[in-house]
């Protein structure tokens, strides 16, 4: 079993839709959770960071962690074509090494 | 603007060649990482380094080696390139003791023919 599972998509939505991206993880000791955004032919960039359970909001983006079900989510409100990218969830099981999900390809159609 | 710079965006090499991928960061970060990224497999850690001349194997080190002679530079070496090493290679760095905030380079797309 992979430590972090993520549906690779692609997920295609119309402009203005609410997008929900999700990951599950296996180790209940994971404490730090991140979402990275990766545009085509670019490296990933940190989008959101959360610690333990709860929600964190930043503009149109909300990251949510439910440690009881080992589920992490990223919500994008009022999605825009510029949000089209690959979204990677990540967590740290130990030390400084991140473990990444496979990434979900998101396409927002205008 | 802080940066992780990978020396090449695209490389084409022949099977059996020795290949060097270079990565330089200007943020005085202790940690540096090399990943490869393949469709459906996500990011897989090849090697990482916590300090100069220190290195540790990641999940898929076979066929690769690394060198870190200076804090800002972390090189990935393919000793004898093979076609199954065709991939996107990503370098990243972070501060020691942080559990978030990797900064990635733009990647090197390596094709081995």
């Amino acid at each position: 079993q992979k430590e972090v599972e993520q549906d690779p998509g692609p997920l295609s939505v119309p402009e203005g839709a609410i997008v929900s991206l999700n990951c599950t993880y296996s180790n209940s000791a994971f404490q730090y959770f991140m979402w990275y955004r990766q545009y085509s032919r670019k490296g990933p960039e940190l989008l959101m960071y959360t610690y333990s359970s709860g929600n964190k909001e930043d503009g149109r983006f909300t990251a949510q962690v439910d440690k009881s079900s080992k589920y992490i989510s990223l919500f994008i409100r009022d999605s825009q074509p510029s949000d089209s990218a690959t979204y990677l969830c990540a967590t740290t099981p130990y030390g400084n090494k991140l473990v990444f999900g496979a990434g979900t390809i998101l396409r927002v159609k205008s | 603007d802080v940066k992780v710079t990978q020396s090449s965006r695209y490389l084409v090499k022949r099977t059996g060649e020795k290949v060097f991928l270079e990565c330089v960061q200007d943020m005085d970060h202790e940690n540096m990482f090399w990943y490869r990224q393949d469709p459906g497999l996500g990011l897989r850690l090849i090697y990482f380094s916590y300090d100069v001349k220190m290195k540790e194997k990641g999940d898929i080190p076979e066929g690769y080696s690394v060198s870190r002679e200076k804090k800002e530079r972390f090189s990935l070496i393919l000793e004898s390139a093979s076609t199954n090493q065709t991939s996107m290679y990503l370098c990243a760095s972070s501060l020691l003791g942080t559990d978030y905030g990797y900064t990635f380079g733009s990647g090197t797309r390596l094709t081995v023919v």
Side-chain angles (χ1 to χ4, degrees):
Chain A
Q1 182 189 5
K2 289 183 180 179
E3 291 183 285
V4 179
E5 298 273 3
Q6 183 176 10
D7 186 339
L11 179 62
S12 185
V13 301
E15 183 176 354
I18 296 173
V19 176
S20 173
L21 304 168
N22 307 293
C23 293
T24 58
Y25 62 93
S26 58
N27 190 334
S28 58
F30 292 9
Q31 292 289 336
Y32 299 89
F33 305 92
M34 283 132 271
W35 284 95
Y36 283 79
R37 179 176 60 194
Q38 184 178 20
Y39 290 116
S40 180
R41 294 184 290 277
K42 298 285 189 182
E45 57 178 342
L46 182 65
L47 185 62
M48 298 283 288
Y49 161 81
T50 55
Y51 172 71
S52 197
S53 281
N55 292 357
K56 183 173 183 178
E57 190 173 318
D58 183 2
R60 296 184 295 110
F61 298 88
T62 300
Q64 186 176 81
V65 175
D66 181 349
K67 293 197 76 178
S68 63
S69 58
K70 300 190 185 67
Y71 202 78
I72 55 178
S73 301
L74 178 71
F75 299 97
I76 307 174
R77 292 182 298 280
D78 187 25
S79 57
Q80 303 295 309
S82 59
D83 295 327
S84 297
T86 297
Y87 291 81
L88 300 129
C89 60
T91 182
T92 56
Y94 44 83
N96 290 305
K97 292 187 294 179
L98 291 180
V99 176
F100 289 86
T104 300
I105 298 170
L106 172 66
R107 296 176 184 146
V108 181
K109 299 175 291 185
S110 57
Chain B
D1 192 17
V2 294
K3 276 189 175 178
V4 175
T5 303
Q6 294 184 231
S7 55
S8 303
R9 292 299 305 276
Y10 300 95
L11 277 178
V12 180
K13 297 292 183 180
R14 294 193 181 278
T15 302
E17 278 193 75
K18 191 170 186 176
V19 181
F20 293 86
L21 302 183
E22 306 288 342
C23 176
V24 177
Q25 50 96 2
D26 65 1
M27 297 164 283
D28 202 33
H29 283 174
E30 292 86 1
N31 300 333
M32 295 189 76
F33 307 84
W34 275 107
Y35 287 87
R36 63 176 285 177
Q37 185 176 30
D38 302 286
L41 298 178
L43 291 168
R44 293 182 290 167
L45 182 63
I46 304 171
Y47 268 97
F48 62 102
S49 169
Y50 288 143
D51 200 354
V52 176
K53 298 192 186 295
M54 303 278 290
K55 60 184 179 183
E56 291 195 34
K57 293 179 180 179
D59 301 316
I60 52 164
E62 296 79 18
Y64 304 94
S65 63
V66 290
S67 172
R68 193 164 181 202
E69 297 296 320
K70 294 184 177 181
K71 189 176 184 180
E72 67 270 18
R73 186 180 297 269
F74 193 34
S75 302
L76 180 69
I77 304 153
L78 285 67
E79 298 290 344
S80 178
S82 63
T83 55
N84 63 13
Q85 292 178 310
T86 292
S87 186
M88 168 70 90
Y89 289 88
L90 288 161
C91 176
S93 71
S94 74
L95 286 169
L96 188 68
T98 60
D99 290 305
Y100 67 100
Y102 283 21
T103 301
F104 282 88
S106 292
T108 296
R109 171 74 66 182
L110 172 67
T111 302
V112 182
V113 298

